[in-house]
Amino acid sequence: MNPDTQRLYESNKLTIVRQVRYSESHNNSIDVVLTVNGIPVVTMELKNQMTGQNVSHAKHQYMTDRDPGDKIFQFKKRSLVNFAVDTDEVFMTTRLNKKGTFFLPFNKGNNHGKGNPENPTGYKTSYLWEEVLQSDSLMEIISRFLHLQVEGKKQTMIFPRYHQLDVVRKLISTSREEGPGNNYLIQHSAGSGKSNSIAWTAHRLASLHDKDDKKVFNSVIVVTDRRVLDQQLQNTIYQFEHKDGVVKKIDQNSSQLADSLTSGTPIIITTLQKFPFIIQKVGNLKDRTYAVIVDEAHSSMGGQTASEMKGVLGQEALERGEEETYEYESLEEEILREINKRGPQKNISFFAFTATPKYKTLEVFGREGIDGKPKPFHLYSMRQAIEEGFILDVLENYTTYKTYYKLIKSIEDDPEVDKKKASLALARFMSLHPHNISQKVEVIVEHFRTHTKHKLEGRAKAMVVTRSRLHAVRYKQSIDKYLKEKNYSDIGTLVAFSGTVDDEGVPYTEVGMNEGIKEKELPEKFGTDDYSFLIVANKYQTGFDQPLLHSMYVDRSLGGIQAIQTLSRLNRTTKGKTDTFVLDFVNEPEEIQNAFQPYYEKTIVGERSEYGQLYELQNKLKGFNVYFEEEVNEFCRFFFSSKKRLNPKDHSRMNSILDKGVSRFVELDDPDQEDFRSTLVAFKNLYSFLSQIIPFSDTDLEKLFTYLKYLHTKLPRRDRSSALNLDEDVELKYYRLQKISEGSIKLEVGEDSPIYGPIDVGGGQKEEELEELSTIIDLVNERFKTDFTKADELFFDSVREDAINDAHVRDAAKVNTLDSFSYVFNKKIEDLFVDRMEQNENLTSKFLNDKDFKKVVSEYLMKQVYEKIREEVGV
């Protein structure tokens, strides 16, 4: 809009020069130099495979024949980026350092892997000069992307990688065209440089104007799911802009956030947890628009907290700022406002960054593809990140062990006990048995000393992943004891768990076991040479970045995204780190492969949730006669029409209405109570999910959701009494720890492995199944294959375990009744038998041809698989 600025911009002189001789001290020349007003900003060495040279020769030339001391290559003062180019690939570096020069790939990616796709009209690398180095593009990169990253004394000139440049430009152009009110899912693998991508996007969105020169977003809010703000992300965003007031970090209280929203701070960095506390504090936000950038979308944007955020920022909820004077036309109108609060908001655009989107993340933030299913707006795959060397393949060296053991009853009595509780108690007894832990500790420590400790110039570290806080305590004690016995004084250990653990009357804390090291100090201390092992229980399995971490010893069940997040603690690269190692005592290789495969290339959704299921659940709930429609309506009349949600009179009336439902619930038989409770939870969860992606206008569903949400809080808690303790009643008779497999777990190229969301819901809880303790011990021993000669038993066991580890089967078991689960399971079980026909032709033939045999076997396995999965996920 400013003619003088436009004239000055157009006055810049961009020049391309070939075969540039750049020093009077030698005759070396550079193939191509790009200058701006005579200042060299880009150098390029070009190679042609048809003459016997490629991009490797160009990189070698930069590292051996180019002197970083020559003025044209001086860091920060002249050339900002140096490209090594052939007809197929491009690499870049922003700092020449002879043989220490580090080149980054600058390729588009080819079919979700490294390299570049075929170009029907020319070279594969023509995008470099036709697109990236085109004059306006280069000027924009210099002014808006290039920046000096400062970390202590280390300085790095950051030039965007191709996928970073591509995603930011596409997000900006689409946002300018579409305006606010749209969602963007960016699926970028670890190693993608996400912090920089978010920072570039935030600053560009903060200054974005549409074609009419109207600002598209009043504020950009960067939301991280970490309660302690991501320091790296903060620093990166701050470094892009040094003017006061442009970026505000919310590190105090919700009032600070409300003030920043009200004043229109261009970029606000906060945690998701702060949003629910400012609903009553936000000023007049009417007619404001927001870009919300979500870091790690799968964990940030689920559930009620995200809904509250939409309630704060959404246009439909912004009018709450006037609710002292605003008269709602009807109860139905206010309910529709609540519905709209959870759904898409016309004044909010969400930009969700994640490496591993869950089904729900794709549904909420994805964009409809040609097949009608949601897909990411932009993709940088795990496969491409691995092939380009930005992260390591954590499945390359994967060893599994299996524990074989036999328990015996050590008491004369044979009491009847609940089968499920007893099985859990026996498994717990075995996992915590000193002999079991000590045997694994010996394997762990000796492997580390032999194969890991010398790596990374003797600084390599390891993580031990345990299944509970008590296991972490026992492992810490056992490893320390073993190290002392062997006089391995050069290995130190740290443990990480929350709260206080009571072990037979003795309390343990993380700080106490770590000899006074405070929780916040632990990551830094672990980075020193004093410590080699970090023993964890549900801590540091996500978001923990320690490049020296080389090996992981896993003694807990991992599945789905949890497996990826945990094992990915190893994938960070650093100088000298060329591989990783995993030793797994619990999980099968197939289970780990099934967890990683959906996220290796592109992530797609399978069978989708249908809103019709809500009405099925609504009818099922109605059949219990716990509540009646008039009570739901009366409760909602008070809830939605109250000027103050905590009005004492309305609050007491609402409680009185809920108490009627609670009384009827208590009168139900135990199985019906559990069936009602699980159906209620299923309705609540499915409605909360679907309301974010489907624009409902059914006020009856919203009223029922509201009523049930509060009824659920008043229902009597389940009897969690006394998990069985059989420690005094059984003994360990036989134990063997055996290596089962080692090598790599291969992920398939070009194989789509869908992820699934809630398809059917509901379910109850079976009555206690009582059996004699001796019978249960036999079943446990049989499950762990004490008798290794029974081929049929092994065959059934492998089928069952593969079914348990199948992602589709697991997802179906989590959200279905046993009857509904059978539809999924019966389809899968036949495939599992056919896949293993060579292992046991007789059993497979009998299963396929004998209907009665097939029915008995299927029902037996289905029940075991269903209960096992739901036990593992805590349903």
Side-chain angles (χ1 to χ4, degrees):
M1 295 183 69
N2 187 325
D4 292 333
T5 303
Q6 184 68 28
R7 178 181 56 78
L8 288 171
Y9 176 76
E10 292 173 351
S11 297
N12 286 301
K13 300 297 184 184
L14 279 74
T15 307
I16 178 170
V17 188
R18 293 189 59 191
Q19 295 305 132
V20 178
R21 299 190 185 279
Y22 54 89
S23 174
E24 294 181 348
S25 63
H26 54 70
N27 290 321
N28 288 350
S29 65
I30 302 171
D31 288 342
V32 171
V33 174
L34 305 183
T35 70
V36 176
N37 301 326
I39 301 173
V41 293
V42 178
T43 75
M44 303 170 68
E45 291 292 351
L46 310 180
K47 302 301 175 185
N48 178 5
Q49 282 93 326
M50 294 179 70
T51 62
Q53 290 192 315
N54 58 33
V55 72
S56 297
H57 294 91
K59 290 193 284 185
H60 184 265
Q61 194 169 12
Y62 271 121
M63 290 189 285
T64 58
D65 297 341
R66 302 290 179 254
D67 185 355
D70 284 333
K71 184 171 287 188
I72 195 171
F73 296 121
Q74 286 181 359
F75 181 62
K76 298 188 296 183
K77 297 179 180 179
R78 290 293 188 273
S79 296
L80 301 173
V81 63
N82 308 283
F83 286 105
V85 190
D86 65 16
T87 62
D88 293 338
E89 291 188 283
V90 181
F91 286 80
M92 68 172 181
T93 183
T94 57
R95 187 172 197 168
L96 294 188
N97 186 26
K98 296 190 175 180
K99 290 188 177 181
T101 303
F102 185 67
F103 280 92
L104 297 173
F106 191 81
N107 298 310
K108 301 176 77 171
N110 184 19
N111 194 28
H112 310 303
K114 68 178 181 179
N116 289 300
E118 292 183 7
N119 181 358
T121 61
Y123 299 119
K124 290 182 179 181
T125 54
S126 61
Y127 64 90
L128 180 63
W129 52 90
E130 292 176 354
E131 175 190 334
V132 178
L133 298 179
Q134 183 268 342
S135 57
D136 289 329
S137 171
L138 179 58
M139 293 295 283
E140 182 193 48
I141 291 171
I142 293 172
S143 63
R144 293 189 169 184
F145 285 88
L146 211 66
H147 79 280
L148 189 68
Q149 180 177 295
V150 180
E151 297 175 333
K153 295 182 179 180
K154 182 182 178 182
Q155 295 186 348
T156 307
M157 185 66 70
I158 301 296
F159 191 96
R161 287 149 61 185
Y162 182 83
H163 70 271
Q164 294 174 315
L165 190 65
D166 189 55
V167 71
V168 174
R169 285 178 167 174
K170 285 178 177 175
L171 286 172
I172 297 308
S173 63
T174 308
S175 297
R176 180 185 290 115
E177 180 182 336
E178 294 181 347
N182 297 281
N183 290 346
Y184 306 83
L185 176 61
I186 300 92
Q187 183 180 348
H188 280 195
S189 167
S192 67
K194 184 179 61 174
S195 292
N196 281 327
S197 297
I198 289 176
W200 281 315
T201 302
H203 283 281
R204 295 294 302 277
L205 290 174
S207 60
L208 182 63
H209 290 70
D210 62 20
K211 61 183 179 180
D212 299 321
D213 199 49
K214 180 182 178 183
K215 200 169 185 183
V216 178
F217 301 107
N218 295 106
S219 290
V220 178
I221 304 168
V222 182
V223 182
T224 177
D225 65 337
R226 300 173 181 87
R227 292 182 182 271
V228 178
L229 283 173
D230 188 312
Q231 194 63 42
Q232 180 189 359
L233 184 58
Q234 285 180 54
N235 294 341
T236 303
I237 294 175
Y238 268 115
Q239 285 187 30
F240 280 33
E241 179 59 71
H242 299 288
K243 295 178 183 176
D244 290 338
V246 173
V247 181
K248 182 68 175 178
K249 176 182 67 175
I250 308 302
D251 54 4
Q252 296 176 16
N253 52 48
S254 52
S255 297
Q256 184 189 26
L257 177 54
D259 292 342
S260 295
L261 289 169
T262 304
S263 63
T265 301
I267 299 177
I268 301 166
I269 312 174
T270 188
T271 57
L272 185 67
Q273 289 76 17
K274 284 204 167 56
F275 272 89
F277 303 109
I278 63 167
I279 294 176
Q280 303 300 327
K281 299 179 183 179
V282 176
N284 181 17
L285 301 180
K286 209 171 183 182
D287 300 323
R288 297 285 182 90
T289 57
Y290 299 92
V292 178
I293 300 177
V294 186
D295 180 17
E296 288 303 327
H298 62 266
S299 49
S300 294
M301 293 309 298
Q304 195 64 26
T305 308
S307 173
E308 297 291 0
M309 180 169 69
K310 292 179 181 178
V312 175
L313 303 179
Q315 286 282 27
E316 297 297 335
L318 295 182
E319 295 178 7
R320 292 185 182 282
E322 303 174 355
E323 69 180 0
E324 291 300 324
T325 57
Y326 186 84
E327 291 294 334
Y328 295 119
E329 294 179 5
S330 68
L331 176 62
E332 303 296 303
E333 180 186 340
E334 169 63 350
I335 293 174
L336 288 175
R337 291 176 187 277
E338 290 293 312
I339 296 173
N340 289 334
K341 182 178 77 171
R342 270 189 299 276
Q345 296 293 320
K346 62 185 179 182
N347 69 319
I348 308 174
S349 285
F350 284 96
F351 301 80
F353 286 77
T354 181
T356 51
K358 293 180 180 177
Y359 175 90
K360 180 176 179 179
T361 312
L362 274 165
E363 285 282 17
V364 173
F365 297 109
R367 296 197 158 206
E368 189 173 293
I370 56 176
D371 60 355
K373 293 183 177 181
K375 64 177 185 178
F377 177 84
H378 200 272
L379 172 66
Y380 178 74
S381 70
M382 181 192 299
R383 177 187 164 200
Q384 186 173 349
I386 291 172
E387 291 183 358
E388 290 187 339
F390 289 109
I391 57 175
L392 295 169
D393 183 358
V394 298
L395 305 184
E396 187 65 31
N397 299 294
Y398 206 102
T399 297
T400 60
Y401 274 70
K402 202 151 204 171
T403 305
Y404 300 100
Y405 62 84
K406 184 171 184 177
L407 304 175
I408 60 171
K409 186 167 63 69
S410 61
I411 55 174
E412 292 185 8
D413 294 338
D414 201 3
E416 285 193 341
V417 290
D418 173 51
K419 180 179 178 180
K420 185 176 180 180
K421 288 183 179 179
S423 297
L424 288 172
L426 291 170
R428 180 179 180 277
F429 168 81
M430 184 59 228
S431 68
L432 287 169
H433 196 284
H435 186 73
N436 176 45
I437 292 179
S438 67
Q439 291 297 298
K440 290 177 180 177
V441 162
E442 181 176 356
V443 171
I444 290 170
V445 174
E446 294 302 334
H447 175 275
F448 179 81
R449 291 189 74 253
T450 305
H451 299 285
T452 300
K453 192 176 187 305
H454 65 278
K455 292 180 179 287
L456 298 173
E457 299 179 347
R459 302 186 65 208
K461 299 181 182 298
M463 179 180 283
V464 181
V465 181
T466 69
R467 67 188 69 188
S468 74
R469 298 183 306 150
L470 180 55
H471 284 84
V473 168
R474 297 275 182 92
Y475 260 103
K476 164 74 169 165
Q477 293 170 332
S478 185
I479 292 176
D480 286 348
K481 179 183 178 183
Y482 186 83
L483 294 173
K484 187 175 181 180
E485 289 173 351
K486 293 290 186 176
N487 197 28
Y488 295 158
S489 57
D490 57 339
I491 298 177
T493 68
L494 291 171
V495 68
F497 61 87
S498 58
T500 301
V501 176
D502 184 284
D503 187 4
E504 298 180 353
V506 180
Y508 293 95
T509 64
E510 176 186 300
V511 174
M513 296 195 78
N514 290 332
E515 299 180 342
I517 295 174
K518 296 179 181 177
E519 184 178 6
K520 291 183 179 180
E521 299 172 346
L522 191 147
E524 183 179 349
K525 289 287 186 182
F526 183 55
T528 67
D529 293 339
D530 295 333
Y531 299 99
S532 300
F533 280 103
L534 179 60
I535 305 152
V536 302
N538 294 319
K539 287 184 76 172
Y540 298 106
Q541 288 173 240
T542 60
F544 179 55
D545 189 359
Q546 173 47 264
L548 297 175
L549 199 57
H550 175 277
S551 297
M552 182 175 289
Y553 304 95
V554 180
D555 194 22
R556 68 164 297 174
S557 177
L558 297 174
I561 286 176
Q562 183 192 48
I564 301 172
Q565 290 179 332
T566 300
L567 297 175
S568 293
R569 296 312 99 215
L570 300 177
N571 68 17
R572 302 304 191 265
T573 58
T574 190
K575 184 179 179 181
K577 187 177 178 182
T578 59
D579 62 1
T580 64
F581 176 81
V582 179
L583 192 155
D584 195 329
F585 294 107
V586 177
N587 303 281
E588 299 289 344
E590 293 79 8
E591 180 181 17
I592 300 301
Q593 182 188 42
N594 289 339
F596 274 78
Q597 189 64 55
Y599 302 101
Y600 185 52
E601 295 187 332
K602 60 179 178 179
T603 307
I604 61 174
V605 300
E607 188 177 348
R608 302 179 73 184
S609 302
E610 298 288 344
Y611 69 87
Q613 295 155 6
L614 284 171
Y615 295 103
E616 295 177 14
L617 291 169
Q618 181 187 30
N619 289 332
K620 184 177 179 181
L621 286 167
K622 194 174 182 179
F624 287 97
N625 291 324
V626 169
Y627 60 86
F628 298 102
E629 188 174 348
E630 56 268 24
E631 293 171 357
V632 174
N633 290 334
E634 187 180 6
F635 178 88
C636 290
R637 181 168 62 84
F638 287 111
F639 182 85
F640 287 110
S641 63
S642 175
K643 300 292 184 185
K644 302 287 185 183
R645 291 288 167 85
L646 295 178
N647 180 298
K649 290 183 179 179
D650 289 346
H651 192 261
S652 64
R653 288 290 297 126
M654 289 157 61
N655 269 273
S656 176
I657 296 166
L658 292 173
D659 288 342
K660 295 177 182 178
V662 173
S663 297
R664 298 187 195 104
F665 172 84
V666 172
E667 293 173 1
L668 295 175
D669 294 335
D670 288 348
D672 286 341
Q673 284 187 6
E674 293 307 320
D675 198 4
F676 176 83
R677 192 196 303 269
S678 61
T679 307
L680 182 157
V681 171
F683 176 89
K684 193 161 66 89
N685 291 342
L686 188 59
Y687 184 79
S688 179
F689 166 53
L690 289 176
S691 64
Q692 296 187 60
I693 59 176
I694 299 175
F696 283 115
S697 294
D698 187 334
T699 56
D700 286 340
L701 286 178
E702 176 69 19
K703 285 189 286 188
L704 181 58
F705 169 76
T706 304
Y707 170 83
L708 291 175
K709 183 169 64 174
Y710 290 95
L711 177 66
H712 187 223
T713 64
K714 297 205 72 174
L715 294 180
R717 292 183 178 274
R718 288 188 178 98
D719 180 14
R720 299 291 187 188
S721 63
S722 62
L724 284 178
N725 187 333
L726 301 176
D727 292 2
E728 303 297 324
D729 300 342
V730 293
E731 291 179 357
L732 179 64
K733 179 181 180 182
Y734 171 85
Y735 181 95
R736 181 156 65 96
L737 189 62
Q738 179 177 323
K739 183 187 291 186
I740 299 298
S741 68
E742 65 180 328
S744 63
I745 298 176
K746 293 295 184 185
L747 299 177
E748 300 299 327
V749 173
E751 180 175 306
D752 293 337
S753 182
I755 57 175
Y756 295 87
I759 297 170
D760 188 19
V761 276
Q765 181 169 310
K766 304 263 183 208
E767 293 184 33
E768 281 192 357
E769 202 173 333
L770 297 179
E771 289 195 24
E772 292 180 344
L773 178 58
S774 57
T775 304
I776 296 171
I777 290 175
D778 289 341
L779 289 173
V780 171
N781 287 329
E782 178 184 339
R783 186 175 72 179
F784 282 92
K785 302 185 287 292
T786 301
D787 188 347
F788 305 118
T789 61
K790 296 180 180 178
D792 293 351
E793 212 169 273
L794 285 168
F795 181 78
F796 280 130
D797 193 71
S798 69
V799 171
R800 184 197 61 204
E801 291 301 316
D802 283 347
I804 290 171
N805 295 329
D806 184 87
H808 191 188
V809 173
R810 290 183 73 87
D811 288 336
K814 293 175 189 176
V815 295
N816 282 283
T817 63
L818 183 60
D819 288 341
S820 299
F821 173 68
S822 66
Y823 296 110
V824 175
F825 183 83
N826 288 334
K827 291 179 183 178
K828 187 67 181 178
I829 191 66
E830 189 165 307
D831 293 337
L832 292 174
F833 268 87
V834 172
D835 289 342
R836 287 153 190 77
M837 180 174 287
E838 292 182 1
Q839 299 175 20
N840 197 320
E841 291 185 6
N842 291 333
L843 267 183
T844 303
S845 177
K846 187 173 181 61
F847 179 84
L848 296 176
N849 298 309
D850 188 332
K851 291 183 179 179
D852 292 336
F853 179 80
K854 181 177 182 179
K855 183 175 184 295
V856 171
V857 169
S858 296
E859 289 180 353
Y860 171 76
L861 291 175
M862 179 179 68
K863 183 179 178 184
Q864 286 193 333
V865 169
Y866 180 80
E867 290 180 353
K868 177 64 175 175
I869 293 173
R870 291 175 70 85
E871 172 190 309
E872 288 180 354
V873 300
V875 177

